Protein backbone atom coordinates (compact mmCIF):
# COMPACT_ATOMS: atom_id res chain seq x y z
CA UNK A 1 0.00 0.00 0.00
CA UNK A 2 1.77 3.11 -1.28
CA UNK A 3 -0.96 5.65 -1.81
CA UNK A 4 -4.03 6.40 0.31
CA UNK A 5 -6.91 8.61 -0.76
CA UNK A 6 -8.55 10.30 2.21
CA UNK A 7 -12.27 10.61 1.53
CA UNK A 8 -12.84 13.29 4.11
CA UNK A 9 -11.98 16.87 5.02
CA UNK A 10 -10.73 19.12 7.82
CA UNK A 11 -8.88 17.92 10.88
CA UNK A 12 -9.49 14.20 10.37
CA UNK A 13 -8.12 14.36 6.81
CA UNK A 14 -4.93 15.94 8.19
CA UNK A 15 -4.84 13.40 11.03
CA UNK A 16 -4.86 10.52 8.54
CA UNK A 17 -2.31 12.23 6.27
CA UNK A 18 0.03 12.67 9.22
CA UNK A 19 -0.07 8.92 9.80
CA UNK A 20 0.56 8.36 6.08
CA UNK A 21 3.59 10.64 6.16
CA UNK A 22 5.07 8.75 9.13
CA UNK A 23 4.54 5.49 7.31
CA UNK A 24 6.03 6.78 4.05
CA UNK A 25 2.70 6.51 2.23
CA UNK A 26 1.62 9.11 -0.35
CA UNK A 27 -1.60 10.87 0.67
CA UNK A 28 -4.31 12.12 -1.65
CA UNK A 29 -6.94 14.72 -0.72
CA UNK A 30 -10.27 15.10 -2.43
CA UNK A 31 -12.11 18.36 -1.84
CA UNK A 32 -15.26 20.24 -2.69
CA UNK A 33 -15.43 23.79 -4.05
CA UNK A 34 -16.08 25.01 -0.50
CA UNK A 35 -12.72 23.58 0.62
CA UNK A 36 -10.54 24.94 -2.17
CA UNK A 37 -7.22 25.93 -0.56
CA UNK A 38 -8.14 24.42 2.84
CA UNK A 39 -5.20 23.23 4.93
CA UNK A 40 -5.86 19.53 4.31
CA UNK A 41 -5.66 20.02 0.55
CA UNK A 42 -2.25 21.64 0.98
CA UNK A 43 -1.01 19.05 3.49
CA UNK A 44 -1.75 16.20 1.08
CA UNK A 45 0.82 15.08 -1.46
CA UNK A 46 -1.85 15.31 -4.15
CA UNK A 47 -5.27 16.98 -4.17
CA UNK A 48 -8.24 16.69 -6.53
CA UNK A 49 -11.51 18.56 -6.77
CA UNK A 50 -14.54 16.27 -6.44
CA UNK A 51 -17.45 18.64 -6.88
CA UNK A 52 -19.65 21.41 -5.52
CA UNK A 53 -20.03 22.25 -1.83
CA UNK A 54 -23.11 20.15 -0.98
CA UNK A 55 -21.83 16.89 0.53
CA UNK A 56 -24.18 14.82 -1.64
CA UNK A 57 -22.31 16.10 -4.69
CA UNK A 58 -18.81 15.83 -3.25
CA UNK A 59 -17.85 13.98 -0.05
CA UNK A 60 -20.75 11.54 -0.50
CA UNK A 61 -20.25 11.06 -4.23
CA UNK A 62 -19.05 7.43 -4.29
CA UNK A 63 -18.69 7.22 -8.07
CA UNK A 64 -16.51 10.32 -8.30
CA UNK A 65 -14.30 9.37 -5.35
CA UNK A 66 -13.68 5.89 -6.74
CA UNK A 67 -12.92 7.37 -10.16
CA UNK A 68 -10.31 9.72 -8.68
CA UNK A 69 -8.79 6.87 -6.65
CA UNK A 70 -8.42 4.80 -9.82
CA UNK A 71 -7.12 7.70 -11.90
CA UNK A 72 -4.44 8.68 -9.39
CA UNK A 73 -3.46 5.09 -8.60
CA UNK A 74 -4.49 5.08 -4.93
CA UNK A 75 -4.53 1.53 -3.59
CA UNK A 76 -6.56 2.33 -0.48
CA UNK A 77 -9.18 4.76 0.81
CA UNK A 78 -9.41 6.03 4.36
CA UNK A 79 -12.92 7.32 5.02
CA UNK A 80 -12.23 9.22 8.30
CA UNK A 81 -15.45 9.67 10.30
CA UNK A 82 -18.88 10.84 9.12
CA UNK A 83 -19.64 11.09 5.39
CA UNK A 84 -19.03 7.59 3.90
CA UNK A 85 -17.16 6.09 6.85
CA UNK A 86 -19.88 3.59 7.80
CA UNK A 87 -21.48 3.18 4.40
CA UNK A 88 -21.48 -0.55 3.47
CA UNK A 89 -22.14 0.27 -0.16
CA UNK A 90 -18.99 2.42 -0.37
CA UNK A 91 -16.91 -0.32 1.23
CA UNK A 92 -18.48 -2.84 -1.15
CA UNK A 93 -17.64 -0.76 -4.23
CA UNK A 94 -14.05 -0.44 -2.94
CA UNK A 95 -13.89 -4.22 -2.50
CA UNK A 96 -15.18 -4.75 -6.06
CA UNK A 97 -12.63 -2.29 -7.45
CA UNK A 98 -9.76 -3.88 -5.49
CA UNK A 99 -9.19 -0.67 -3.55
CA UNK A 100 -8.55 -1.38 0.14
CA UNK A 101 -11.23 0.28 2.30
CA UNK A 102 -9.49 1.17 5.57
CA UNK A 103 -12.12 -0.12 7.93
CA UNK A 104 -14.06 -3.34 8.44
CA UNK A 105 -15.60 -5.33 5.59
CA UNK A 106 -18.82 -4.19 3.90
CA UNK A 107 -20.52 -7.20 5.51
CA UNK A 108 -19.59 -6.10 9.03
CA UNK A 109 -20.54 -2.49 8.23
CA UNK A 110 -23.92 -3.71 7.04
CA UNK A 111 -24.52 -5.82 10.13
CA UNK A 112 -23.40 -3.26 12.71
CA UNK A 113 -24.91 -0.33 10.78
CA UNK A 114 -28.37 -1.59 11.53
CA UNK A 115 -28.55 -0.82 15.22
CA UNK A 116 -31.35 -3.23 15.90
CA UNK A 117 -29.61 -6.09 14.10
CA UNK A 118 -26.40 -5.25 15.99
CA UNK A 119 -28.33 -5.35 19.26
CA UNK A 120 -29.73 -8.78 18.41
CA UNK A 121 -26.30 -10.02 17.41
CA UNK A 122 -24.75 -8.77 20.64
CA UNK A 123 -27.45 -10.49 22.68
CA UNK A 124 -26.54 -13.74 20.89
CA UNK A 125 -22.89 -13.12 21.79
CA UNK A 126 -23.82 -12.79 25.46
CA UNK A 127 -23.13 -9.04 25.60
CA UNK A 128 -25.54 -7.25 27.97
CA UNK A 129 -27.89 -4.88 26.13
CA UNK A 130 -30.43 -2.33 27.39
CA UNK A 131 -33.87 -3.88 27.90
CA UNK A 132 -35.86 -3.35 24.73
CA UNK A 133 -37.53 -4.80 21.67
CA UNK A 134 -35.95 -7.62 19.72
CA UNK A 135 -37.51 -6.49 16.48
CA UNK A 136 -39.19 -3.56 14.81
CA UNK A 137 -41.87 -1.70 16.64
CA UNK A 138 -45.04 -0.33 15.08
CA UNK A 139 -48.57 0.49 16.10
CA UNK A 140 -49.57 -3.17 16.24
CA UNK A 141 -46.97 -4.36 18.78
CA UNK A 142 -45.82 -1.15 20.51
CA UNK A 143 -48.23 -1.31 23.43
CA UNK A 144 -47.47 -4.94 24.23
CA UNK A 145 -43.68 -4.39 24.16
CA UNK A 146 -43.83 -1.20 26.17
CA UNK A 147 -46.15 -2.65 28.80
CA UNK A 148 -43.34 -5.10 29.59
CA UNK A 149 -40.66 -2.39 29.71
CA UNK A 150 -42.67 0.35 31.45
CA UNK A 151 -42.33 4.05 30.64
CA UNK A 152 -40.18 6.00 29.89
CA UNK A 153 -38.87 4.41 26.72
CA UNK A 154 -36.78 5.70 23.84
CA UNK A 155 -37.73 5.05 20.22
CA UNK A 156 -34.69 4.68 17.93
CA UNK A 157 -34.33 4.42 14.17
CA UNK A 158 -32.66 1.10 13.27
CA UNK A 159 -30.59 2.74 10.56
CA UNK A 160 -29.87 5.77 12.71
CA UNK A 161 -26.98 7.81 13.93
CA UNK A 162 -26.16 11.27 15.21
CA UNK A 163 -29.06 11.18 17.65
CA UNK A 164 -31.45 11.86 14.76
CA UNK A 165 -35.01 10.65 15.22
CA UNK A 166 -34.50 9.32 18.75
CA UNK A 167 -37.64 10.12 20.74
CA UNK A 168 -38.26 9.73 24.46
CA UNK A 169 -41.79 8.65 25.33
CA UNK A 170 -42.99 9.23 28.88
CA UNK A 171 -46.53 7.90 28.75
CA UNK A 172 -49.19 6.11 26.75
CA UNK A 173 -50.69 9.34 25.41
CA UNK A 174 -47.47 10.37 23.70
CA UNK A 175 -46.79 6.95 22.19
CA UNK A 176 -48.68 6.88 18.86
CA UNK A 177 -47.61 10.33 17.78
CA UNK A 178 -43.99 9.76 18.82
CA UNK A 179 -43.91 6.48 16.90
CA UNK A 180 -45.33 8.05 13.75
CA UNK A 181 -42.93 10.99 13.85
CA UNK A 182 -39.87 8.80 14.62
CA UNK A 183 -40.73 6.55 11.66
CA UNK A 184 -41.16 9.53 9.37
CA UNK A 185 -37.83 11.05 10.39
CA UNK A 186 -36.15 7.63 10.07
CA UNK A 187 -37.55 7.11 6.57
CA UNK A 188 -36.61 10.60 5.40
CA UNK A 189 -33.13 10.65 6.90
CA UNK A 190 -31.93 7.07 6.65
CA UNK A 191 -34.20 5.68 3.93
CA UNK A 192 -35.40 3.06 6.42
CA UNK A 193 -38.56 3.60 8.50
CA UNK A 194 -37.79 0.75 10.94
CA UNK A 195 -37.59 1.73 14.59
CA UNK A 196 -37.09 -0.18 17.84
CA UNK A 197 -37.49 0.73 21.50
CA UNK A 198 -35.30 0.60 24.57
CA UNK A 199 -35.98 1.30 28.20
CA UNK A 200 -34.96 4.92 28.74
CA UNK A 201 -32.35 4.91 31.51
CA UNK A 202 -32.33 7.89 33.89
CA UNK A 203 -29.15 9.95 33.37
CA UNK A 204 -26.77 7.11 32.43
CA UNK A 205 -23.10 7.60 31.66
CA UNK A 206 -21.85 7.00 28.14
CA UNK A 207 -18.72 4.86 28.34
CA UNK A 208 -17.11 3.36 25.25
CA UNK A 209 -14.15 1.08 24.58
CA UNK A 210 -11.61 1.55 21.81
CA UNK A 211 -10.70 -1.69 20.15
CA UNK A 212 -8.15 -2.76 17.54
CA UNK A 213 -8.53 -6.00 15.64
CA UNK A 214 -6.27 -7.42 12.94
CA UNK A 215 -6.87 -10.05 10.28
CA UNK A 216 -5.12 -12.76 12.35
CA UNK A 217 -7.75 -12.82 15.08
CA UNK A 218 -5.82 -10.59 17.48
CA UNK A 219 -8.15 -8.19 19.28
CA UNK A 220 -7.15 -5.73 22.00
CA UNK A 221 -8.95 -2.91 23.79
CA UNK A 222 -7.24 0.39 24.62
CA UNK A 223 -9.38 1.21 27.62
CA UNK A 224 -12.44 3.38 27.85
CA UNK A 225 -13.54 6.92 27.09
CA UNK A 226 -16.30 8.62 29.02
CA UNK A 227 -18.44 10.77 26.73
CA UNK A 228 -21.28 11.78 29.04
CA UNK A 229 -21.09 15.52 28.41
CA UNK A 230 -23.49 15.66 25.50
CA UNK A 231 -26.01 18.00 23.98
CA UNK A 232 -28.85 16.52 21.95
CA UNK A 233 -27.12 13.14 22.11
CA UNK A 234 -23.97 14.67 20.60
CA UNK A 235 -20.67 14.52 22.49
CA UNK A 236 -18.97 17.77 23.48
CA UNK A 237 -16.38 16.70 26.07
CA UNK A 238 -14.71 13.31 26.42
CA UNK A 239 -12.17 11.95 28.84
CA UNK A 240 -10.14 8.87 29.56
CA UNK A 241 -10.10 7.05 31.90
CA UNK A 242 -13.67 7.36 33.19
CA UNK A 243 -13.99 8.58 36.79
CA UNK A 244 -16.73 5.94 37.20
CA UNK A 245 -14.70 2.79 36.49
CA UNK A 246 -12.69 0.66 38.85
CA UNK A 247 -9.90 -1.40 37.31
CA UNK A 248 -12.06 -4.49 37.84
CA UNK A 249 -14.94 -2.97 35.87
CA UNK A 250 -12.53 -1.73 33.17
CA UNK A 251 -11.21 -5.23 32.79
CA UNK A 252 -14.71 -6.72 32.68
CA UNK A 253 -16.09 -4.20 30.17
CA UNK A 254 -12.92 -4.36 28.06
CA UNK A 255 -13.23 -8.15 27.81
CA UNK A 256 -16.86 -7.82 26.74
CA UNK A 257 -15.88 -5.23 24.09
CA UNK A 258 -13.24 -7.61 22.75
CA UNK A 259 -15.77 -10.45 22.77
CA UNK A 260 -18.25 -8.28 20.81
CA UNK A 261 -15.60 -7.51 18.19
CA UNK A 262 -14.57 -11.17 17.91
CA UNK A 263 -18.18 -12.29 17.53
CA UNK A 264 -18.57 -10.35 14.29
CA UNK A 265 -15.00 -11.03 13.05
CA UNK A 266 -14.25 -7.36 13.33
CA UNK A 267 -11.11 -6.07 11.64
CA UNK A 268 -9.74 -2.50 11.98
CA UNK A 269 -10.12 0.16 14.69
CA UNK A 270 -13.58 0.40 16.22
CA UNK A 271 -15.53 1.42 19.27
CA UNK A 272 -18.00 -0.49 21.38
CA UNK A 273 -20.33 1.95 23.12
CA UNK A 274 -22.05 1.22 26.42
CA UNK A 275 -24.50 2.98 28.69
CA UNK A 276 -23.46 2.72 32.32
CA UNK A 277 -26.04 3.06 35.05
CA UNK A 278 -26.07 2.04 38.72
CA UNK A 279 -22.91 -0.04 38.37
CA UNK A 280 -24.21 -1.98 35.35
CA UNK A 281 -23.30 -1.58 31.70
CA UNK A 282 -25.30 -2.22 28.54
CA UNK A 283 -24.24 -2.37 24.88
CA UNK A 284 -25.48 0.66 22.98
CA UNK A 285 -23.93 0.39 19.52
CA UNK A 286 -20.69 -0.27 17.67
CA UNK A 287 -18.96 2.52 15.80
CA UNK A 288 -17.20 0.89 12.91
CA UNK A 289 -14.69 3.67 12.16
CA UNK A 290 -12.13 5.99 13.71
CA UNK A 291 -13.93 8.30 16.12
CA UNK A 292 -13.59 12.03 16.70
CA UNK A 293 -12.43 11.37 20.26
CA UNK A 294 -9.79 8.73 19.44
CA UNK A 295 -6.97 11.18 20.24
CA UNK A 296 -7.48 11.09 24.03
CA UNK A 297 -6.85 7.35 23.94
CA UNK A 298 -3.68 7.95 21.92
CA UNK A 299 -2.49 10.46 24.49
CA UNK A 300 -2.85 8.12 27.48
CA UNK A 301 -1.76 4.89 25.78
CA UNK A 302 0.90 6.30 23.44
CA UNK A 303 -0.56 4.15 20.64
CA UNK A 304 -1.14 5.78 17.25
CA UNK A 305 -4.58 4.37 16.45
CA UNK A 306 -4.66 5.62 12.84
CA UNK A 307 -1.28 4.09 12.09
CA UNK A 308 -2.42 0.78 13.59
CA UNK A 309 -5.58 1.02 11.49
CA UNK A 310 -3.55 1.50 8.30
CA UNK A 311 -1.14 -1.30 9.22
CA UNK A 312 -4.08 -3.65 9.84
CA UNK A 313 -5.41 -2.78 6.37
CA UNK A 314 -1.95 -3.53 4.98
CA UNK A 315 -2.22 -7.01 6.43
CA UNK A 316 0.19 -6.51 9.33
CA UNK A 317 -0.50 -8.02 12.73
CA UNK A 318 -1.20 -5.65 15.65
CA UNK A 319 2.00 -4.15 17.04
CA UNK A 320 0.74 -4.62 20.60
CA UNK A 321 -0.71 -7.29 22.85
CA UNK A 322 -3.30 -6.62 25.55
CA UNK A 323 -0.66 -6.78 28.28
CA UNK A 324 1.35 -4.03 26.52
CA UNK A 325 -1.53 -1.56 26.81
CA UNK A 326 -0.96 0.78 29.69
CA UNK A 327 -3.00 3.88 30.47
CA UNK A 328 -0.77 6.67 31.68
CA UNK A 329 -2.43 9.68 33.34
CA UNK A 330 -5.62 11.40 32.23
CA UNK A 331 -6.74 13.10 29.02
CA UNK A 332 -9.70 15.36 28.31
CA UNK A 333 -10.96 16.58 24.96
CA UNK A 334 -13.05 19.68 24.33
CA UNK A 335 -14.61 19.95 20.88
CA UNK A 336 -14.10 23.58 19.87
CA UNK A 337 -16.92 24.52 17.54
CA UNK A 338 -17.89 27.71 15.73
CA UNK A 339 -21.23 28.06 17.47
CA UNK A 340 -22.89 30.37 19.97
CA UNK A 341 -23.49 28.62 23.29
CA UNK A 342 -25.56 31.58 24.53
CA UNK A 343 -27.86 31.30 21.55
CA UNK A 344 -28.82 27.63 21.64
CA UNK A 345 -25.45 26.62 20.14
CA UNK A 346 -26.39 28.08 16.74
CA UNK A 347 -23.60 27.48 14.20
CA UNK A 348 -21.44 30.53 13.52
CA UNK A 349 -19.48 29.85 10.33
CA UNK A 350 -17.35 32.65 8.87
CA UNK A 351 -13.85 34.01 8.56
CA UNK A 352 -11.28 33.62 11.33
CA UNK A 353 -9.79 37.09 11.43
CA UNK A 354 -7.30 35.98 14.02
CA UNK A 355 -6.46 32.48 15.23
CA UNK A 356 -3.92 31.35 17.78
CA UNK A 357 -4.18 27.92 19.35
CA UNK A 358 -2.83 27.04 22.80
CA UNK A 359 0.35 25.08 23.36
CA UNK A 360 2.78 24.11 26.07
CA UNK A 361 3.23 20.93 28.02
CA UNK A 362 0.45 18.35 27.77
CA UNK A 363 -1.58 20.10 25.07
CA UNK A 364 -2.54 18.64 21.68
CA UNK A 365 -4.65 20.55 19.16
CA UNK A 366 -5.99 18.68 16.11
CA UNK A 367 -7.36 21.17 13.65
CA UNK A 368 -7.63 22.10 10.01
CA UNK A 369 -7.91 25.89 10.33
CA UNK A 370 -5.64 28.96 10.39
CA UNK A 371 -5.88 32.75 10.50
CA UNK A 372 -7.98 34.09 7.58
CA UNK A 373 -9.51 30.65 7.02
CA UNK A 374 -13.24 30.75 6.35
CA UNK A 375 -15.33 28.04 8.04
CA UNK A 376 -17.83 27.08 5.33
CA UNK A 377 -21.52 26.88 6.27
CA UNK A 378 -21.92 23.55 4.48
CA UNK A 379 -20.39 21.16 7.02
CA UNK A 380 -19.90 20.53 10.71
CA UNK A 381 -18.64 23.80 12.28
CA UNK A 382 -15.79 22.14 14.20
CA UNK A 383 -12.70 24.35 14.59
CA UNK A 384 -10.49 21.95 16.51
CA UNK A 385 -10.18 19.24 19.09
CA UNK A 386 -8.39 20.56 22.13
CA UNK A 387 -6.81 17.80 24.20
CA UNK A 388 -5.18 18.23 27.59
CA UNK A 389 -3.15 15.54 29.30
CA UNK A 390 -2.26 15.47 33.01
CA UNK A 391 -0.75 12.96 35.41
CA UNK A 392 -4.16 12.83 37.09
CA UNK A 393 -7.64 14.20 36.43
CA UNK A 394 -7.08 17.36 38.39
CA UNK A 395 -3.94 18.23 36.45
CA UNK A 396 -5.71 17.55 33.15
CA UNK A 397 -8.59 19.87 34.16
CA UNK A 398 -6.24 22.67 35.30
CA UNK A 399 -4.26 22.33 32.08
CA UNK A 400 -7.45 22.40 30.00
CA UNK A 401 -8.56 25.59 31.79
CA UNK A 402 -5.18 27.16 31.08
CA UNK A 403 -5.34 26.13 27.40
CA UNK A 404 -8.89 27.46 27.00
CA UNK A 405 -7.75 30.83 28.33
CA UNK A 406 -4.87 30.85 25.85
CA UNK A 407 -7.12 30.17 22.86
CA UNK A 408 -7.59 33.23 20.65
CA UNK A 409 -10.25 33.03 17.95
CA UNK A 410 -11.52 36.28 16.46
CA UNK A 411 -14.19 36.52 13.77
CA UNK A 412 -16.67 33.79 14.69
CA UNK A 413 -18.52 32.87 17.86
CA UNK A 414 -17.16 29.77 19.58
CA UNK A 415 -18.18 27.44 22.40
CA UNK A 416 -14.95 28.12 24.33
CA UNK A 417 -16.82 29.88 27.13
CA UNK A 418 -19.06 26.83 27.48
CA UNK A 419 -15.99 24.65 27.99
CA UNK A 420 -14.58 27.13 30.48
CA UNK A 421 -17.85 27.00 32.45
CA UNK A 422 -17.81 23.17 32.49
CA UNK A 423 -14.15 23.03 33.57
CA UNK A 424 -15.06 25.21 36.56
CA UNK A 425 -18.29 23.37 37.38
CA UNK A 426 -18.07 21.65 40.81
CA UNK A 427 -20.01 18.58 39.66
CA UNK A 428 -17.72 18.15 36.67
CA UNK A 429 -14.65 18.67 38.80
CA UNK A 430 -15.94 15.96 41.16
CA UNK A 431 -16.40 13.60 38.22
CA UNK A 432 -20.17 13.37 38.77
CA UNK A 433 -21.06 12.97 35.12
CA UNK A 434 -24.19 11.86 33.31
CA UNK A 435 -25.69 12.29 29.87
CA UNK A 436 -28.15 14.83 31.35
CA UNK A 437 -25.32 16.93 32.78
CA UNK A 438 -25.90 19.93 30.48
CA UNK A 439 -29.67 19.95 30.86
CA UNK A 440 -29.54 19.60 34.64
CA UNK A 441 -26.69 22.05 35.31
CA UNK A 442 -28.95 25.07 34.97
CA UNK A 443 -26.30 27.49 36.15
CA UNK A 444 -24.10 26.91 33.09
CA UNK A 445 -25.63 29.80 31.13
CA UNK A 446 -25.14 32.20 34.06
CA UNK A 447 -21.63 30.82 34.54
CA UNK A 448 -20.82 31.53 30.89
CA UNK A 449 -22.11 35.12 31.27
CA UNK A 450 -20.12 35.56 34.49
CA UNK A 451 -16.95 34.26 32.85
CA UNK A 452 -17.46 36.52 29.82
CA UNK A 453 -18.00 39.52 32.12
CA UNK A 454 -14.93 38.62 34.19
CA UNK A 455 -12.80 38.36 31.05
CA UNK A 456 -14.17 41.62 29.63
CA UNK A 457 -13.34 43.50 32.82
CA UNK A 458 -9.88 41.91 32.82
CA UNK A 459 -9.39 43.01 29.21
CA UNK A 460 -10.59 46.52 30.08
CA UNK A 461 -8.27 46.70 33.08
CA UNK A 462 -5.41 45.50 30.90
CA UNK A 463 -6.16 48.05 28.19
CA UNK A 464 -6.34 50.76 30.89
CA UNK A 465 -3.01 49.66 32.27
CA UNK A 466 -1.60 49.78 28.75
CA UNK A 467 -3.07 53.25 28.19
CA UNK A 468 -1.55 54.36 31.49
CA UNK A 469 1.72 52.75 30.60
CA UNK A 470 1.64 54.41 27.21
CA UNK A 471 0.83 57.77 28.84
CA UNK A 472 3.58 57.25 31.40
CA UNK A 473 6.00 56.30 28.64
CA UNK A 474 5.03 59.38 26.67
CA UNK A 475 5.51 61.59 29.74
CA UNK A 476 8.90 59.97 30.39
CA UNK A 477 9.91 60.46 26.74
CA UNK A 478 8.87 64.12 26.80
CA UNK A 479 10.77 64.56 30.09
CA UNK A 480 13.88 62.92 28.61
CA UNK A 481 13.64 65.10 25.52
CA UNK A 482 13.22 68.24 27.60
CA UNK A 483 16.21 67.19 29.71
CA UNK A 484 18.32 66.66 26.56
CA UNK A 485 17.28 70.04 25.19
CA UNK A 486 18.10 71.73 28.49
CA UNK A 487 21.54 70.07 28.55
CA UNK A 488 22.16 71.10 24.92
CA UNK A 489 21.10 74.70 25.69
CA UNK A 490 23.41 74.68 28.73
CA UNK A 491 26.31 73.34 26.60
CA UNK A 492 25.70 75.93 23.90
CA UNK A 493 25.50 78.69 26.56
CA UNK A 494 28.84 77.49 28.08
CA UNK A 495 30.64 77.54 24.71
P1 LIG B 1 -26.76 7.57 17.84
O1 LIG B 1 -26.31 6.33 17.12
O2 LIG B 1 -27.88 8.27 17.12
O3 LIG B 1 -25.65 8.46 18.23
P2 LIG B 1 -26.89 6.12 20.35
O4 LIG B 1 -27.74 4.91 20.41
O5 LIG B 1 -25.42 5.93 20.19
O6 LIG B 1 -27.43 7.08 19.18
O7 LIG B 1 -27.16 7.02 21.62
C1 LIG B 1 -26.66 8.34 21.73
C2 LIG B 1 -26.95 8.87 23.11
O8 LIG B 1 -28.35 8.81 23.39
C3 LIG B 1 -26.33 8.10 24.26
O9 LIG B 1 -24.98 8.46 24.48
C4 LIG B 1 -27.23 8.49 25.40
O10 LIG B 1 -26.93 9.78 25.86
C5 LIG B 1 -28.60 8.53 24.75
N1 LIG B 1 -29.30 7.22 24.86
C6 LIG B 1 -29.35 6.25 23.92
N2 LIG B 1 -30.05 5.20 24.36
C7 LIG B 1 -30.48 5.50 25.59
C8 LIG B 1 -31.25 4.81 26.58
N3 LIG B 1 -31.76 3.59 26.37
N4 LIG B 1 -31.46 5.43 27.78
C9 LIG B 1 -30.97 6.66 28.02
N5 LIG B 1 -30.25 7.37 27.13
C10 LIG B 1 -29.99 6.80 25.93
Amino acid sequence: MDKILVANRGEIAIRVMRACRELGITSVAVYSNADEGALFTRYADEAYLIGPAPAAESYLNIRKIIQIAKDCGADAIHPGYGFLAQNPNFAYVCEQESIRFIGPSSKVLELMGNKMAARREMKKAGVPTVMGSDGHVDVSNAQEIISELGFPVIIKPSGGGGGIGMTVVNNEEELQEALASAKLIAANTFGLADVYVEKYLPDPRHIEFQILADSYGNVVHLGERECSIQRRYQKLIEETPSPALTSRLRHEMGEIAVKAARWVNYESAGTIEFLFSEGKFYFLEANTRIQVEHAITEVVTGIDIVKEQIQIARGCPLSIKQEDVCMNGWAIECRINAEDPLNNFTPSPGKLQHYRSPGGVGIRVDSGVHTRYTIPPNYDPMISKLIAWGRDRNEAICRMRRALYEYIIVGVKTNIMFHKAVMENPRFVNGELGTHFISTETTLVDDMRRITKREKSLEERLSQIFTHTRRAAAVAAVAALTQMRLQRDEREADS
Side-chain angles (χ1 to χ4, degrees):
M1 189 184 293
D2 303 317
K3 198 186 247 194
I4 295 178
L5 181 148
V6 184
N8 216 299
R9 60 182 298 280
E11 72 83 21
I12 192 63
I14 294 180
R15 170 70 192 87
V16 174
M17 291 167 192
R18 281 180 166 149
C20 289
R21 189 150 294 180
E22 286 184 29
L23 290 167
I25 296 172
T26 304
S27 62
V28 179
V30 286
Y31 62 93
S32 75
N33 282 329
D35 282 330
E36 213 144 1
L39 209 54
F40 74 96
T41 67
R42 285 184 269 150
Y43 191 98
D45 297 310
E46 293 171 28
Y48 302 97
L49 179 70
I50 16 171
E57 295 171 57
S58 48
Y59 298 105
L60 294 173
N61 187 340
I62 296 180
R63 193 187 49 78
K64 193 78 202 272
I65 294 170
I66 296 285
Q67 191 56 52
I68 292 174
K70 281 162 70 176
D71 289 349
C72 76
D75 33 31
I77 294 183
H78 195 299
Y81 53 67
F83 296 125
L84 295 169
Q86 296 185 103
N87 185 318
N89 185 35
F90 184 50
Y92 180 74
V93 176
C94 289
E95 286 158 9
Q96 295 307 301
E97 299 286 350
S98 302
I99 297 170
R100 186 71 168 94
F101 176 82
I102 303 180
S105 67
S106 58
K107 237 172 91 193
V108 169
L109 285 176
E110 177 111 47
L111 175 66
M112 300 313 260
N114 185 311
K115 289 167 69 173
M116 201 191 58
R119 209 182 117 80
R120 255 198 322 247
E121 204 60 31
M122 288 302 110
K123 264 178 120 173
K124 270 197 250 162
V127 173
T129 53
V130 189
M131 264 175 41
S133 62
D134 284 328
H136 303 142
V137 172
D138 51 39
V139 277
S140 63
N141 62 3
Q143 242 140 13
E144 190 194 327
I145 291 167
I146 292 169
S147 67
E148 270 176 42
L149 298 175
F151 287 105
V153 295
I154 183 166
I155 304 176
K156 295 180 165 187
S158 301
I164 300 165
M166 293 203 305
T167 316
V168 179
V169 186
N170 292 299
N171 52 52
E172 194 98 33
E173 288 77 63
E174 294 172 7
L175 182 61
Q176 299 303 335
E177 208 184 310
L179 200 56
S181 103
K183 273 178 166 295
L184 192 68
I185 297 173
N188 288 341
T189 320
F190 309 111
L192 184 71
D194 297 342
V195 297
Y196 64 105
V197 290
E198 276 177 7
K199 177 81 189 158
Y200 186 64
L201 303 175
D203 201 16
R205 286 171 176 256
H206 174 119
I207 298 178
E208 59 187 34
F209 275 72
Q210 174 71 54
I211 53 137
L212 287 173
D214 66 18
S215 50
Y216 305 94
N218 302 308
V219 188
V220 299
H221 74 83
L222 306 183
E224 79 280 14
R225 293 184 285 258
E226 169 144 15
C227 314
S228 298
I229 309 292
Q230 307 178 347
R231 192 181 157 270
R232 297 205 177 141
Y233 308 124
Q234 295 296 298
K235 301 159 187 169
L236 277 168
I237 299 175
E238 301 95 343
E239 61 182 283
T240 183
S242 159
L245 292 197
T246 56
S247 53
R248 191 188 56 76
L249 255 170
R250 176 169 306 113
H251 179 71
E252 196 184 327
M253 289 175 80
E255 289 219 311
I256 293 279
V258 167
K259 180 170 162 183
R262 275 192 203 289
W263 184 263
V264 294
N265 289 324
Y266 196 84
E267 193 188 311
S268 190
T271 302
I272 308 294
E273 296 190 334
F274 297 100
L275 288 181
F276 183 79
S277 178
E278 294 169 351
K280 296 209 177 81
F281 59 91
Y282 310 90
F283 170 82
L284 187 59
E285 67 166 336
N287 274 312
T288 46
R289 54 170 159 82
I290 191 80
Q291 282 196 285
V292 175
E293 61 271 24
H294 75 277
I296 53 173
T297 301
E298 294 185 326
V299 165
V300 297
T301 60
I303 295 165
D304 184 325
I305 298 172
V306 179
K307 255 161 68 173
E308 287 294 328
Q309 197 186 18
I310 294 173
Q311 295 295 61
I312 293 168
R314 276 175 144 177
C316 303
L318 289 181
S319 72
I320 30 147
K321 295 196 171 57
Q322 190 63 58
E323 55 270 29
D324 302 328
V325 179
C326 157
M327 292 169 83
N328 174 28
W330 215 284
I332 303 177
E333 170 178 275
C334 289
R335 298 190 188 194
I336 309 294
N337 297 333
E339 59 189 17
D340 183 1
L342 287 175
N343 185 16
N344 209 19
F345 292 82
T346 315
S348 169
K351 187 169 180 172
L352 304 180
Q353 277 140 21
H354 189 56
Y355 179 81
R356 189 174 193 280
S357 56
V361 66
I363 296 297
R364 167 171 165 179
V365 183
D366 279 18
S367 148
V369 306
H370 53 84
T371 292
R372 287 188 293 283
Y373 171 76
T374 299
I375 298 168
N378 316 74
Y379 317 109
D380 191 303
M382 186 195 274
I383 297 175
S384 74
K385 306 186 312 201
L386 173 60
I387 297 135
W389 176 87
R391 284 167 299 179
D392 54 28
R393 191 168 188 267
N394 186 43
E395 192 175 47
I397 292 176
C398 292
R399 197 161 273 160
M400 180 60 89
R401 283 188 200 140
R402 185 268 289 170
L404 288 166
Y405 280 92
E406 279 179 17
Y407 223 138
I408 299 172
I409 301 175
V410 181
V412 297
K413 293 216 162 73
T414 77
N415 61 354
I416 289 180
M417 71 169 113
F418 163 81
H419 289 301
K420 286 177 180 170
V422 174
M423 291 300 136
E424 286 186 10
N425 179 284
R427 241 182 83 201
F428 179 83
V429 172
N430 285 335
E432 295 162 24
L433 312 180
T435 49
H436 292 201
F437 179 88
I438 294 180
S439 53
T440 50
E441 279 305 290
T442 48
T443 61
L444 279 175
V445 169
D446 286 341
D447 293 341
M448 285 192 257
R449 292 214 167 92
R450 184 176 46 75
I451 291 168
T452 313
K453 213 165 135 193
R454 191 176 71 197
E455 286 183 0
K456 275 230 164 75
S457 79
L458 186 72
E459 270 170 29
E460 273 159 23
R461 270 200 0 248
L462 277 174
S463 69
Q464 271 169 12
I465 292 168
F466 282 128
T467 322
H468 284 150
T469 322
R470 259 189 239 126
R471 209 175 291 140
V475 170
V478 170
L481 212 68
T482 314
Q483 186 71 19
M484 268 163 56
R485 281 202 187 122
L486 279 175
Q487 284 170 353
R488 186 193 60 200
D489 291 350
E490 274 170 20
R491 273 199 307 274
E492 280 174 3
D494 283 349
S495 58

